[in-house]
Amino acid sequence: MATVIYPSPIFGPVHSRRLGVSLGINLLPEDGKWCTFDCVYCECGFNKDFRPKKPLPTREEVRMALEERLKGMSANGPVPDVLTFAGNGEPTLHPHFAEIIEDTRALRDRYFPKAKISVLSNATQIFRPEVFEALRKVDNNILKLDTVDEGYIRRVDRPTGRYEISRVVERLKDFRGKVIIQTMFMKGMSEGADVDNTSDRFVEPWLRAVKEISPSQVMIYTIDRETPDHELKKATREELDHIAGRIRQEGLEVSVSY
């Protein structure tokens, strides 16, 4: 079974397809996965197979480790394009996420003021006021919206708690454009069910929702690494280009990662 379990609290820098030279910040345990989704395409594997036993890094541990790494990069390189909250699951689950964002902004301003701060999130915690306000303060507030089809969400994203897509879309509108929508397009099968979301059946209602959200950018991508469900397949370049063209026709900026 394919898995990528990241060190905690700092990993990389790595070269991101979408963000450039990215220093990773993992607010989750280093020995497993903690997420409110259980996506069939997740590079960290299925939740049930990688339950962490170690605790979350503390706010102070994150701050100290980040400052040490930034000092080293300032002296020896490379220069980061972005400081990215990602890692072994959903970063906004950390109880001190908002305070850690403030610490990170201060350290960024001290060492690499041109670097952006990004958060990769599945948007399940945006109803918590402190998370919502913290996300409004980062440069790249990148939130997942793979589809607006409830059945597809249950089959592919597999939320572990309450998740109502209409409610999520309404909350995404509250960012008033200070949000980047990130969507995985793929094909293949999962547990005997077709998971192709590249057709008009899925793209058209998704695009209507994206227009309503009016994000600053849309990031569309497909499978890049081995997935825990081995029947999944990449969307083709032609399919992604077609979807990107539809997005541009609506006057929205889009980036594509093949």
Side-chain angles (χ1 to χ4, degrees), residues 18 47 88 104 116 125 134 168 172 199 216 222 229 252 258:
R18 287 155 281 175
N47 293 356
N88 303 333
T104 303
K116 305 295 186 183
Q125 304 301 301
V168 171
L172 289 170
S199 68
S216 61
T222 191
D229 191 325
L252 297 170
Y258 301 102

Side-chain angles (χ1 to χ4, degrees), residues 18-212:
R18 287 155 281 175
L19 302 172
V21 178
S22 172
L23 182 65
I25 305 172
N26 175 23
L27 301 185
L28 303 169
E30 64 182 3
D31 64 334
K33 182 185 173 192
W34 188 25
C35 196
T36 47
F37 273 3
D38 192 17
C39 299
V40 298
Y41 58 78
C42 182
E43 65 182 10
C44 296
F46 295 127
N47 293 356
K48 64 181 177 61
D49 297 320
F50 297 95
R51 300 292 185 192
K53 296 181 175 61
K54 293 185 179 181
L56 297 170
T58 66
R59 173 187 178 181
E60 185 61 13
E61 287 171 341
V62 175
R63 190 195 65 77
M64 290 178 63
L66 178 58
E67 181 162 26
E68 181 179 358
R69 184 62 61 85
L70 292 177
K71 280 183 179 179
M73 295 173 75
S74 180
N76 305 307
V79 174
D81 296 308
V82 62
L83 312 179
T84 305
F85 286 83
N88 303 333
E90 175 51 44
T92 61
L93 286 172
H94 196 290
H96 296 292
F97 174 75
E99 294 89 342
I100 292 170
I101 290 293
E102 293 299 333
D103 294 341
T104 303
R105 293 175 69 202
L107 290 171
R108 182 274 310 273
D109 292 347
R110 183 181 308 167
Y111 292 101
F112 292 102
K114 293 183 179 180
K116 305 295 186 183
I117 297 174
S118 297
V119 178
L120 301 178
S121 169
N122 63 22
T124 58
Q125 304 301 301
I126 58 176
F127 300 97
R128 292 167 53 200
E130 68 276 17
V131 170
F132 181 85
E133 291 304 322
L135 290 173
R136 284 174 53 84
K137 295 177 181 178
V138 303
D139 301 290
N140 299 319
N141 170 30
I142 305 172
L143 302 184
K144 176 174 292 297
L145 185 70
D146 284 341
T147 183
V148 294
D149 184 283
E150 291 280 3
Y152 190 92
I153 291 166
R154 302 296 166 190
R155 188 163 58 250
V156 172
D157 294 324
R158 306 196 303 177
T160 61
R162 180 188 178 190
Y163 186 88
E164 297 176 16
I165 189 59
S166 59
R167 185 168 170 257
V168 171
V169 169
E170 288 302 313
R171 186 57 166 164
L172 289 170
K173 294 179 190 178
D174 291 338
F175 284 105
R176 299 186 183 278
K178 191 170 176 54
V179 60
I180 297 171
I181 295 299
Q182 181 189 70
T183 302
M184 165 70 82
F185 287 102
M186 63 181 185
K187 304 171 77 170
M189 306 290 289
S190 178
E191 297 183 346
D194 187 352
V195 295
D196 183 347
N197 65 334
T198 65
S199 68
D200 287 347
R201 174 192 165 193
F202 291 99
V203 172
E204 288 183 358
W206 167 84
L207 186 55
R208 286 195 295 271
V210 171
K211 284 173 56 181
E212 292 178 5

